[in-house]
Amino acid sequence: MLFLRAPMNKAIFLDKDGTLIENIPYNVNCNAIKLVPGVVSGLRKLQSHGYRFIIITNQSGLAKGYFTVQELEKVRQHLEGLFNKQDIKLDGFYYCPHYSKGIIEEYSVECNCRKPKPGLLLKAAIDLSIDVSRSWFIGDSFSDVEAGNACGCKTILLRNKRSQQNSSKPYSIAVDFPQATQHILNSDQA
Ligand SMILES: [Mg+2]
Ligand SMILES: [Zn+2]
């Protein structure tokens, strides 16, 4: 029997808060969600170069009882709508609901998906046939870098004041999303 191998996709894994949208801790009010300037043009360029987009986000507010899965689902739909309006397709939205010291029992556990652990990335890669060696993680925190490195993709740290240094080394550092985009396209051409 002839067995056709599924084509492997390349993807940009994207942190949500402080990367795609302005960071408002635990916000699920869609009216307050604002895309960071430069994100749309960057995503468009990357999409035209064949990248899929997958959001990878820690949502400990679920374990802490700050909001519900239904409210987070509204945020996902809102974001997808914002991107669709710009002809940008969002292929996945993966979140970690856990926090070991939370109050909602089912989510108050140690898990393998809360960044810096790579569980969400690995699950997304399997679900969506992603070739991680051709993929990238863009995030504004060292836990994004650590998760991306652990799953075998290249990482870009968006430098901001909140970035708490650890021993993880990003593939490159960018001042903003357009610069991160440029680093990826330059690396592809090299
Ligand atoms: Mg962030
Ligand atoms: Zn988790």
Side-chain angles (χ1 to χ4, degrees):
M1 190 178 105
L2 183 64
F3 190 75
L4 293 175
R5 235 173 122 224
M8 291 287 265
N9 302 304
K10 59 180 183 175
I12 312 289
F13 298 110
L14 296 155
D15 169 54
K16 178 168 76 72
D17 300 307
T19 297
L20 294 178
I21 64 175
E22 306 288 356
N23 187 46
I24 306 173
Y26 307 111
N27 176 57
V28 288
N29 172 8
C30 291
N31 294 325
I33 291 177
K34 287 204 176 62
L35 290 173
V36 173
V39 162
V40 165
S41 61
L43 291 178
R44 278 209 180 127
K45 266 189 210 158
L46 292 165
Q47 184 167 261
S48 73
H49 283 78
Y51 284 101
R52 309 288 186 103
F53 302 127
I54 301 159
I55 292 177
I56 301 287
T57 178
N58 283 351
Q59 292 295 319
S60 65
L62 289 165
K64 292 171 184 169
Y66 296 165
F67 51 82
T68 63
V69 167
Q70 288 72 25
E71 287 172 295
L72 182 61
E73 170 61 15
K74 289 225 173 70
V75 169
R76 185 195 68 75
Q77 285 173 7
H78 182 74
L79 274 174
E80 197 172 306
L82 289 178
F83 287 140
N84 285 348
K85 254 189 254 167
Q86 307 287 342
D87 292 319
I88 295 163
K89 182 166 182 275
L90 185 61
D91 276 284
F93 182 95
Y94 288 76
Y95 64 90
C96 165
H98 305 115
Y99 184 67
S100 60
K101 298 185 199 71
I103 59 162
I104 306 294
E105 202 179 342
E106 60 173 318
Y107 300 140
S108 300
V109 295
E110 292 284 350
C111 67
N112 63 12
C113 61
R114 179 172 165 77
K115 297 178 288 186
K117 301 249 178 78
L120 293 179
L121 291 154
L122 296 170
K123 179 166 183 358
I126 291 167
D127 289 351
L128 303 168
S129 297
I130 303 299
D131 177 355
V132 289
S133 71
R134 293 161 63 221
S135 297
W136 297 75
F137 193 159
I138 305 176
D140 69 329
S141 121
F142 277 92
S143 68
D144 299 319
V145 172
E146 193 172 332
N149 287 347
C151 108
C153 59
K154 293 184 205 128
T155 54
I156 298 185
L157 178 70
L158 294 176
R159 197 204 301 269
N160 69 25
K161 297 177 281 303
R162 291 179 303 105
S163 305
Q164 280 183 334
Q165 180 86 46
N166 69 11
S167 59
S168 312
K169 287 221 166 40
Y171 181 87
S172 70
I173 294 175
V175 292
D176 57 15
F177 203 90
Q179 194 179 70
T181 301
Q182 208 48 55
H183 286 185
I184 292 171
L185 299 180
N186 290 348
S187 167
D188 280 357
Q189 277 172 357

